[in-house]
Amino acid sequence: MKFLTVNDIRFATIDEGSGPVVVLVHGFPLDHTIWDGQIGPLSQRCRVIAPDLRGFGDTEATPGKVSIEQHADDLAAMLDALGVVEPVVLAGLSMGGYIAFRFYQKYRRRLRGMILCDTRAGADTPQAATGRLESARRVEQEGPRVLADMMLPRMLAPATYNSQPEVVERIQQIILAGNAVGLAAAARGLAERPDFSAMLPEIDCPTLLVVGKHDAISTAAEMGVMARSIRGAKLVAIDGAGHMSPLEQPAEVAAAMEAFILGSAEE
Ligand code: MLT
């Protein structure tokens, strides 16, 4: 793990391997370890940067509200701090995908491609946003277990609950180890994120979409619509996976990512 100063906070990131740069951005309420099954294989031929976002994992939290834009700005400042000047492939899972959309809007020249994993372009409905604000309040009062109880039942494919209890346990551990102040601040930012749907037809960098066939949060049907809206995008649907496809089927997800990263590096 490397520790950097990024936009005045202590920022933690994995930085391994050499070759084309890929940045792996985790979802909510998680940390960079959701990519453990991809970091090893990808770092054989790529430089893999996998940060803990502001308020998650080992990165410092800032209280109140942390917007999706702030996370995108942190990623750009992290690349500066690491001396990365070449365009990168940015991979984001769920919230990481929302951040990738914002990064695209602000820092297009820094991108060579995007991998959108188990994510969606739409904003929260007013009802969902209200629920998030309530969950932020409860996390601050009761701790991260609130999020584990609310979210875990929908995060994984049914087969994962039955045959991979260690994956269920791992996700629970990540959530329970979270920083309540950071999680609440990120939840408030998620509630206010913009709708990115209108930008999809304008995306002009190579884009791969990856979805667990049993994703109950960003469904395969919804990601199919997204794939058809982005020119030239490719969609890979992963058997036996839900919303946490990199943890549920690590080898398949790593293989799809590697083929895309190395293929788009040659363009
Ligand atoms: C995630 O995995 O990042 C979350 O499901 C995102 C969300 O709650 O919208």
Side-chain angles (χ1 to χ4, degrees):
M1 205 79 179
K2 276 187 182 163
F3 290 93
L4 311 163
T5 299
V6 165
N7 292 333
D8 297 327
I9 63 164
R10 186 168 181 266
F11 198 88
T13 187
I14 295 287
D15 181 10
E16 280 178 16
S18 59
V21 180
V22 57
V23 180
L24 308 179
V25 185
H26 64 79
F28 178 90
L30 304 162
D31 65 26
H32 77 276
T33 60
I34 66 157
W35 301 106
D36 277 354
Q38 290 74 44
I39 292 169
L42 292 178
S43 63
Q44 304 298 310
R45 296 175 71 187
C46 305
R47 178 173 177 185
V48 181
I49 298 171
D52 285 337
L53 296 168
R54 181 181 291 250
F56 298 84
D58 285 328
T59 290
E60 194 178 333
T62 47
K65 177 169 63 190
V66 174
S67 65
I68 292 297
E69 177 160 0
Q70 178 68 64
H71 290 303
D73 290 344
D74 287 346
L75 292 181
M78 172 195 72
L79 291 174
D80 290 342
L82 291 171
V84 175
V85 289
E86 70 188 270
V88 305
V89 172
L90 184 56
L93 179 124
S94 199
M95 176 181 74
Y98 315 156
I99 296 166
F101 288 132
R102 190 69 189 113
F103 191 95
Y104 179 96
Q105 290 175 330
K106 282 190 87 168
Y107 304 106
R108 169 68 187 92
R109 65 168 187 85
R110 302 195 78 151
L111 282 177
R112 205 190 71 216
M114 287 196 291
I115 302 176
L116 302 170
C117 191
D118 297 290
T119 192
R120 54 194 165 188
D124 276 2
T125 62
Q127 195 185 5
T130 304
R132 270 200 215 271
L133 298 182
E134 170 63 8
S135 72
R137 191 188 60 73
R138 286 190 59 198
V139 171
E140 279 178 338
Q141 286 180 355
E142 301 166 41
R145 183 171 290 281
V146 169
L147 293 173
D149 293 345
M150 276 189 324
M151 295 184 68
L152 242 178
R154 297 186 70 221
M155 285 172 101
L156 300 164
T160 305
Y161 286 103
N162 299 330
S163 59
Q164 298 196 83
E166 69 287 357
V167 171
V168 184
E169 176 65 19
R170 181 71 202 112
I171 295 177
Q172 172 132 328
Q173 281 170 357
I174 299 173
I175 300 175
L176 295 183
N179 175 326
V181 170
L183 294 172
R188 293 191 188 97
L190 282 167
E192 288 188 8
R193 75 182 189 283
D195 186 337
F196 295 108
S197 308
M199 71 178 270
L200 299 179
E202 287 155 27
I203 292 176
D204 65 356
C205 67
T207 304
L208 171 70
L209 288 82
V210 177
V211 65
K213 283 189 182 168
H214 304 280
D215 189 334
I217 296 174
S218 36
T219 64
E222 192 174 355
M223 288 203 73
V225 172
M226 203 198 301
R228 287 191 290 281
S229 306
I230 303 174
R231 230 171 312 132
K234 183 177 174 214
L235 174 67
V236 174
I238 307 287
D239 280 324
H243 192 58
M244 292 286 108
S245 58
L247 272 169
E248 297 176 82
Q249 299 299 337
E252 288 77 358
V253 172
M257 292 174 78
E258 180 173 317
F260 174 78
I261 296 162
L262 298 179
S264 67
E266 282 155 15
E267 280 171 12

